[in-house]
Amino acid sequence: MTRTAPRICPLCEATCGLTLSIDRDRTTGRETVIAARGDADDVFSAGYLCPKGASFAQLDNDPDRLDRPLIRRDGRLVDTDWDTALTAAVEGLNEVIATSGGESIGFYLGNPSAHTVAGTMYAPLLIRALGTRNVFSASTLDQMPKQAATGYLVGHAGTFAVPDLDRTDHLVIIGANPVVSNGSVTTTADFPGKLTALRRRGGRLTVIDPARTRTAKLADTHLAPRPGTDAALLAAVVQCLFDDDLVADDLGGAATHVLGVEALRRAMDAFAPERVEAFCGVAAADIRALARSIAAAPSAAVYGRMGTTTVQFGTLGSWLIDVVNILTGNFDRPGGVMFPLAPTAPSPRPARAGRGFRTGRWRSRVSGHAEVGGELPAVAMAEEFETPGDGRLRALVTVSGNPVLSAPNGARLGRALDDAQFVVCVDPYLNETTRHAHVLLPPPRPSQSPHFDAILNNLAVRATARYSPPVLPLPPGRPDEIEIVARLILGLSGVGVDADPGLVDEQVIAATLAKEVTDPHSPVAGRDVESLVAMLPDAPGHQRRLDMLLRVGAYGDAFGTRAGLTFADLLAAPHGIDLGPMRPRLPGVVRTASGKVELAPDPLIGDLARLWAAVSADDSPGPVAEGGLLLVGRRHLRSNNSWMHNLPALTGGTNRCTLHMHPDDADRLGISDVAKIRGAGGSLTVPVEITTDIRPGVASLPHGWGHDVEGVRLGVAAADPGVNVNELNDGAVLDPLSGTVVLNGLPVEIAPA
Ligand SMILES: Nc1nc2c(c(=O)[nH]1)N[C@H]1C(S)=C(S)[C@@H](COP(=O)(O)OP(=O)(O)OC[C@H]3O[C@@H](n4cnc5c(=O)[nH]c(N)nc54)[C@H](O)[C@@H]3O)O[C@H]1N2
Ligand SMILES: Nc1nc2c(c(=O)[nH]1)N[C@H]1C(S)=C(S)[C@@H](COP(=O)(O)OP(=O)(O)OC[C@H]3O[C@@H](n4cnc5c(=O)[nH]c(N)nc54)[C@H](O)[C@@H]3O)O[C@H]1N2
Ligand code: SF4
Ligand SMILES: [Mo]
């Protein structure tokens, strides 16, 4: 017997709607997901899916996925029951807090947390319950520079402008490969289809990437710069906009909301295209043509991702991307870049000056790295464990992270975790990181978990409201991930791991509504908290919280005083509710101290000296040394960071851990099939694929491989382990404004093996 059920895909930022086929075993009555296809009725994705979504059933049924918690006894991880595991986790952490203080616990939040209700709505509360400022996440291996740049520009690090893909006339993609990644920090389903539609309506696509990626192959113009030089290239675009008088009149209507155009003009004056062309490896004429084509387009959107963030000048580059959008009149208007408004985002308030964005409110103990967005650099974890003294890390809690593979210094971190007093991991796999756990708490299968995109909706190119309830029931006594995290929180706050997990939600609801009713601009200003709480459904805590957020949000019913959304509407619409295209949101989104979009903030203008020094020191476009190349990353459509190499449907074929290099480099270095590659952190031997799809002087190697570690339970992945690219990287070079490590443009030496 087979039935179907809709379920939003949790595997990447595209958030496609899936239709799951569920089979019921006649004798046991047990239900299993057996297939997934795209949900044609989904209001956001209209049937799109990629191979990862299509293998949802394999992921759900992976025999290596842990069903029961593990606990360390006599040095070995063994099965235990939930009460024992949760109690041991809290006792172990409390002991560390009692002997060494809360600061001696580190917390690492990994990427899949952005796709779970537990990660988005409960993990932040767990951090608070731990009471530590040693918070690390995949953000400092990823988009933190974008957060910092946005923070300085609009005063808030979480308010991103995303390209209006459905309406733009000219899309400029820098350092991103959305045909493969399906888009990032821009949530849209079927990015490839959006690019085809752009071309079909007569629009232009420009791609800036040292590799001729699948995305670049669709472009009208492809520029291939030297890795790590985009900030200089963008500075030259800005210089050219000023110099050629291409700055939009009135900034396309945004001028009254923007400060600092003159300061910016002065700061960019030195970066003429002719001055940076050798450094960037892009002809001055091409840079000028790029500036002109953006300025001339009826609308244009410049969009940057990993290749612009995980580099030495990541924050400068992210800032200059939006500077170009602003100067060409493409900020906050249809066809340009716009600020999404999610259904659970607070209802818009009038413009007001805020406190602005600041970093360095605290610093890391060993290297003195500044806090950015409440986090310290992920690469600093190892030294914080290794270095004796007050405040030394003794314990780590991870939620959905695999930093031993995903971050530089992984081997060092692994050794540090071997010596750690206590490690708790919330993770479904026994992998390179979680094998160090003292207590390993596995969330249930995605089919047994609810789904709501509390974070990604804030990045969506079109607003929708969608919720997936669990498709399959949990076995009796089996907590879901929300309950696991909630019980840790209750245990750490002294209420007890056995308390009702819903208490966590009731506290959040009471605190949020207390603020709302006293805010004169809230749709529930002046109302009575208790009577609002009484209107929430008799339902699991996360659903009560979502109901509250929706009802005070922009599209909500304001608790019964206007027509609008409630959580019941989402339950009644299994394929989602469409809330329309993005709309202009200036000046309401601005929270800088001046109350304006600050085009030339001091920390960014200050960092230009570092960029200028690099431009002046190194005008040569060639490799750094004999055998020297710059290494960049590469993603594959059937891969997902470090944790999906265990599904047979996704492995093999072209999804291989190989080094891509240009034939000119291979000839020069005498390399045919296998190469030895050496970086500041170590060396690796890798199979080579020679291809003209990469710029000479640049090589690429994917990340997330290196599964040949003892003690992991990843049967399929271990059979084709690949190598861990992050072993080449000693993690010493960071973008100082964001604490983000350089992953793209890493200097390496390559020789025949
Ligand atoms: N060299 C190089 N390194 C990189 C990158 C690169 O481009 N080049 N990319 C970087 C980027 S962008 C990122 S985001 C990071 C990712 O870094 P991480 O987030 O640390 O690593 P992931 O590989 O995403 O690991 C995800 C972990 O979550 C677990 N997991 C999966 N689903 C769930 C779930 O539902 N709940 C819980 N609790 N756990 C779950 C998996 O088993 C795995 O252990 O890697 C970074 N590392
Ligand atoms: N299939 C698949 N999809 C994924 C993931 C995955 O692992 N696999 N990971 C997810 C995650 S966590 C993220 S963060 C996103 C990332 O999404 P993207 O950023 O779109 O993905 P990448 O493939 O890292 O693209 C970065 C591009 O930048 C180029 N590049 C490298 N250095 C430079 C440089 O200095 N300048 C310029 N201009 N370009 C440069 C690289 O050649 C590469 O093509 O993808 C998400 N989606
Ligand atoms: S693009 Fe693929 S992995 Fe991403 S949400 Fe859609 S089906 Fe899932
Ligand atoms: Mo990422």
Side-chain angles (χ1 to χ4, degrees):
M1 237 177 27
T2 305
R3 65 178 174 103
T4 61
R7 208 294 184 187
I8 299 164
C9 178
L11 300 175
C12 89
E13 295 172 54
T15 72
C16 301
L18 304 178
T19 304
L20 303 181
S21 301
I22 297 152
D23 191 53
R24 186 187 172 87
D25 186 293
R26 248 174 242 245
T27 39
T28 62
R30 191 166 169 263
E31 288 192 315
T32 331
V33 176
I34 54 163
R37 57 176 200 275
D39 176 2
D41 298 323
D42 185 276
V43 294
F44 191 67
S45 62
Y48 182 77
L49 96 168
C50 85
K52 286 193 296 299
S55 52
F56 184 100
Q58 266 189 12
L59 180 82
D60 215 50
N61 299 312
D62 186 349
D64 283 336
R65 175 179 277 278
L66 301 171
D67 267 339
R68 285 159 59 79
L70 302 180
I71 192 163
R72 191 167 295 276
R73 300 249 189 257
D74 304 321
R76 286 185 50 239
L77 280 169
V78 295
D79 273 11
T80 189
D81 62 84
W82 282 99
D83 286 335
T84 307
L86 287 162
T87 305
V90 169
E91 279 175 1
L93 292 170
N94 275 335
E95 201 174 303
V96 177
I97 295 172
T99 52
S100 312
E103 290 300 309
S104 56
I105 301 179
F107 182 89
Y108 178 86
L109 187 65
N111 171 277
S113 67
H115 307 267
T116 62
V117 174
T120 52
M121 293 173 62
Y122 294 79
L125 306 170
L126 177 56
I127 297 174
R128 212 186 300 158
L130 284 167
T132 181
R133 297 202 286 193
N134 281 308
V135 178
F136 309 88
S137 86
S139 295
T140 52
L141 309 167
D142 191 349
Q143 83 293 342
M144 192 62 97
K146 171 83 178 161
Q147 287 178 237
T150 294
Y152 288 119
L153 275 169
V154 299
H156 190 276
T159 313
F160 297 114
V162 306
D164 184 9
L165 296 177
D166 291 322
R167 292 179 286 191
T168 192
D169 295 296
H170 185 182
L171 180 64
V172 180
I173 296 179
I174 314 183
N177 185 13
V179 171
V180 166
S181 68
N182 286 303
S184 181
V185 193
T186 288
T187 283
T188 187
D190 193 11
F191 212 122
K194 303 267 177 193
L195 298 181
T196 313
L198 164 71
R199 297 290 302 274
R200 208 179 294 133
R201 66 177 178 266
R204 270 183 80 75
L205 175 64
T206 297
V207 173
I208 303 178
D209 195 309
R212 196 152 63 94
T213 59
R214 287 177 63 184
T215 306
K217 285 176 184 164
L218 300 178
D220 300 276
T221 307
H222 173 210
L223 303 178
R226 288 175 76 208
T229 64
D230 299 274
L233 189 145
L234 285 157
V237 167
V238 174
Q239 195 274 352
C240 185
L241 291 175
F242 281 122
D243 209 43
D244 292 0
D245 215 3
L246 297 173
V247 173
D249 288 342
D250 194 29
L251 303 182
T256 50
H257 310 302
V258 173
L259 273 189
V261 177
E262 270 317 303
L264 180 78
R265 178 202 296 270
R266 284 193 300 276
M268 292 294 130
D269 201 39
F271 291 91
E274 292 68 21
R275 190 65 192 83
V276 305
E277 65 177 345
F279 177 69
C280 299
V282 175
D286 290 338
I287 300 176
R288 288 189 183 281
L290 174 65
R292 286 178 192 140
S293 69
I294 297 171
S299 69
V302 187
Y303 161 68
R305 262 319 265 121
M306 284 292 286
T308 61
T309 53
T310 52
V311 291
Q312 276 197 56
F313 305 104
T315 305
L316 282 181
S318 299
W319 164 58
L320 290 167
I321 284 169
D322 275 333
V323 164
V324 174
N325 286 321
I326 292 168
L327 292 181
T328 53
N330 286 301
F331 199 60
D332 194 45
R333 73 144 186 198
V337 296
M338 304 187 77
F339 296 96
L341 182 59
T344 50
S347 164
R349 307 291 206 260
R352 66 176 161 86
R355 261 176 301 182
F357 177 72
R358 277 189 309 140
T359 68
R361 293 169 296 174
W362 60 90
R363 290 188 172 265
S364 71
R365 182 181 61 104
V366 179
S367 290
H369 295 300
E371 155 280 334
V372 181
E375 296 184 24
L376 297 170
V379 285
M381 268 189 289
E383 66 183 22
E384 292 294 333
F385 271 100
E386 288 164 352
T387 315
D390 263 7
R392 176 181 184 174
L393 284 186
R394 312 267 176 187
L396 185 69
V397 178
T398 72
V399 175
S400 63
N402 192 7
V404 167
L405 276 199
S406 293
N409 285 338
R412 265 175 74 192
L413 178 63
R415 284 192 297 275
L417 295 181
D418 274 336
D419 297 337
Q421 193 177 329
F422 203 63
V423 178
V424 178
C425 300
V426 182
D427 201 290
Y429 284 107
L430 182 54
N431 67 16
E432 299 77 12
T433 298
T434 62
R435 76 193 177 99
H436 299 283
H438 293 84
V439 180
L440 176 44
L441 304 165
R445 303 160 183 234
S447 63
Q448 296 166 327
S449 313
H451 189 93
F452 183 84
D453 283 302
I455 288 186
L456 297 174
N457 283 337
N458 293 296
L459 303 168
V461 301
R462 188 175 179 93
T464 59
R466 296 177 297 157
Y467 174 82
S468 309
V471 166
L472 298 184
L474 285 166
R478 209 283 185 221
D480 66 6
E481 189 170 6
I482 294 171
E483 183 177 335
I484 294 169
V485 177
R487 288 176 67 183
L488 289 176
I489 294 167
L490 292 168
L492 287 163
S493 11
V495 185
V497 288
D498 298 330
D500 174 5
L503 282 176
V504 169
D505 301 293
E506 296 318 304
Q507 275 185 0
V508 174
I509 289 168
T512 310
L513 287 178
K515 262 201 207 145
E516 286 283 335
V517 295
T518 52
D519 180 341
H521 301 294
S522 165
V524 293
R527 309 258 306 262
D528 166 54
V529 172
E530 251 171 67
S531 62
L532 297 181
V533 172
M535 293 174 76
L536 298 174
D538 182 14
H542 74 276
Q543 298 193 358
R544 288 167 59 81
R545 264 168 85 186
L546 286 175
D547 190 52
M548 171 201 62
L549 289 171
L550 289 166
R551 298 177 85 170
V552 299
Y555 312 87
D557 81 335
F559 281 89
T561 56
R562 65 185 185 203
L565 285 181
T566 69
F567 187 73
D569 298 324
L570 270 61
L571 284 179
H575 308 287
I577 299 166
D578 181 35
L579 300 169
M582 294 185 287
R583 282 169 289 184
R585 293 190 60 199
L586 281 180
V589 288
V590 178
R591 288 291 175 273
T592 55
S594 62
K596 305 269 183 192
V597 176
E598 293 183 8
L599 212 45
D602 289 341
L604 292 162
I605 297 292
D607 199 34
L608 285 170
R610 196 170 58 92
L611 179 61
W612 183 249
V615 170
S616 314
D618 183 2
D619 280 347
S620 77
V624 272
E626 183 59 32
L629 281 90
L630 294 172
L631 190 70
V632 298
R634 186 172 88 233
R635 283 174 156 79
H636 192 285
L637 187 55
R638 290 187 295 121
S639 237
N640 196 11
N641 296 331
S642 76
W643 70 279
M644 288 185 73
H645 295 137
N646 209 49
L647 307 186
L650 298 179
T651 41
T654 55
N655 186 10
R656 294 178 60 218
C657 183
T658 57
L659 186 75
H660 281 185
M661 58 192 298
H662 192 273
D664 292 357
D665 291 319
D667 278 355
R668 180 171 59 89
L669 302 169
I671 288 165
S672 52
D673 50 356
V674 183
K676 181 157 177 159
I677 172 164
R678 195 149 54 92
S683 56
L684 297 169
T685 302
V686 270
V688 174
E689 289 182 78
I690 295 168
T691 170
T692 51
D693 284 343
I694 194 150
R695 180 193 156 91
V698 180
S700 80
L701 189 61
H703 72 287
W705 295 83
H707 303 293
D708 50 351
V709 181
E710 223 177 288
V712 306
R713 197 181 298 171
L714 298 166
V716 176
D720 180 15
V723 296
N724 177 4
V725 61
N726 286 323
E727 280 178 26
L728 300 169
N729 191 339
D730 66 357
V733 188
L734 303 181
D735 166 38
L737 292 182
S738 67
T740 302
V741 69
V742 171
L743 299 173
N744 277 302
L746 195 73
V748 292
E749 281 171 35
I750 299 178

